[in-house]
Amino acid sequence: MWGLFAGGLALLWALAAIFVLSLCRAAARADERPRAPRLRRRAATASVAAAVVVLPAVPDEASAACANRHLEFAANPQLMREALLCEIARVRARRDLPALRADAQLDLAAGRHAADMLERRFFSHTSPGGGDVADRVRRAGYALRRCSWVVGEILAWGTGPRATAAGTVRAWMRSPGHRHVLVSRRYRDVGAGLVAGTPADAAVGVTVAAVLGRRSC
């Protein structure tokens, strides 16, 4: 009798374990899908692209190349940042999209998030405390209560040859969610944050956050 009871209990535990594992796998698949949900705050919206790791570099078109596009972040952080903004402008110009204006408040939001991901070793649009890009642009002063606004955030990290402007933007353009943000006509402003190190290894590589936005006050 006890043997039958113990056997039944073991079967129930096994079924429960399989159920939990199936939920974890489903959650992992959901996290990997590029997505662009909208978060409404009063008259505001925020669209977010899924986070990805920079893909391996491969040859691309040689037309209208930006200076220092293959320069690694460790060699010169400022030049790589300029090259990243140039690469973003380049992909938009080739599609006859409106040029983006550099925005100090979006720079602040992006820079804070890149630094936070490095410091707390996570890689996501949602911080461990639950904050998202809408919260970050409000704290930076871009999303004002009296204004309507929309923002899109894209993230990446890479090491070695992948820690370059060309490698970062190439990876974004190959991801539907990221490409949707980069080539959207809805944005007019851009900010970027780059920090040395990655959530996987603080000693090498670069972590990148970029925020595109538009507001009307």
Side-chain angles (χ1 to χ4, degrees), residues 64 86-99 182-183:
C86 177
E87 287 286 294
I88 292 173
R90 176 176 173 249
V91 299
R92 291 179 63 86
R94 289 169 55 194
R95 291 162 177 77
D96 295 321
L97 297 170
L182 280 178
V183 302

Side-chain angles (χ1 to χ4, degrees), residues 6-208:
L9 188 61
L11 179 60
L12 287 175
W13 276 109
L15 290 174
I18 291 171
F19 176 70
V20 171
L21 282 174
S22 68
L23 287 181
C24 292
R25 288 170 182 162
R29 286 195 296 270
D31 287 343
E32 290 170 355
R33 292 196 197 106
R35 59 197 184 278
R38 292 183 179 178
L39 308 173
R40 296 192 177 274
R41 301 289 191 278
R42 296 174 66 87
T45 62
S47 60
V48 184
V52 296
V53 176
V54 175
L55 298 175
V58 296
D60 67 350
E61 300 156 33
S63 60
C66 295
N68 303 306
R69 62 194 305 265
H70 295 300
L71 181 71
E72 293 183 27
F73 181 79
N76 192 312
Q78 182 57 32
L79 288 182
M80 184 192 162
R81 184 182 185 281
E82 293 172 2
L84 179 72
L85 294 175
C86 177
E87 287 286 294
I88 292 173
R90 176 176 173 249
V91 299
R92 291 179 63 86
R94 289 169 55 194
R95 291 162 177 77
D96 295 321
L97 297 170
L100 299 174
R101 300 167 299 201
D103 186 275
Q105 292 164 331
L106 294 184
D107 275 344
L108 181 61
R112 283 174 173 173
H113 191 49
D116 189 35
M117 289 190 292
L118 178 69
E119 181 179 350
R120 294 201 276 177
R121 299 296 183 89
F122 73 97
F123 187 61
S124 173
H125 296 283
T126 304
S127 71
D132 58 26
V133 64
D135 299 313
R136 290 188 284 275
V137 296
R138 282 202 304 272
R139 286 197 301 269
Y142 185 83
L144 304 175
R145 289 183 178 274
R146 67 177 185 273
C147 305
S148 62
W149 53 269
V150 58
V151 296
E153 179 182 73
I154 48 181
L155 310 175
W157 67 261
T159 61
R162 304 176 189 181
T164 66
T168 300
V169 174
R170 184 185 302 114
W172 284 341
M173 289 299 290
R174 289 178 175 175
S175 165
H178 294 80
R179 185 171 61 248
H180 174 78
V181 173
L182 280 178
V183 302
S184 174
R185 291 185 176 275
R186 70 195 313 188
Y187 302 119
R188 293 293 182 271
D189 306 316
V190 64
L194 298 84
V195 294
T198 74
D201 187 343
V204 296
V206 62
T207 299
V208 183

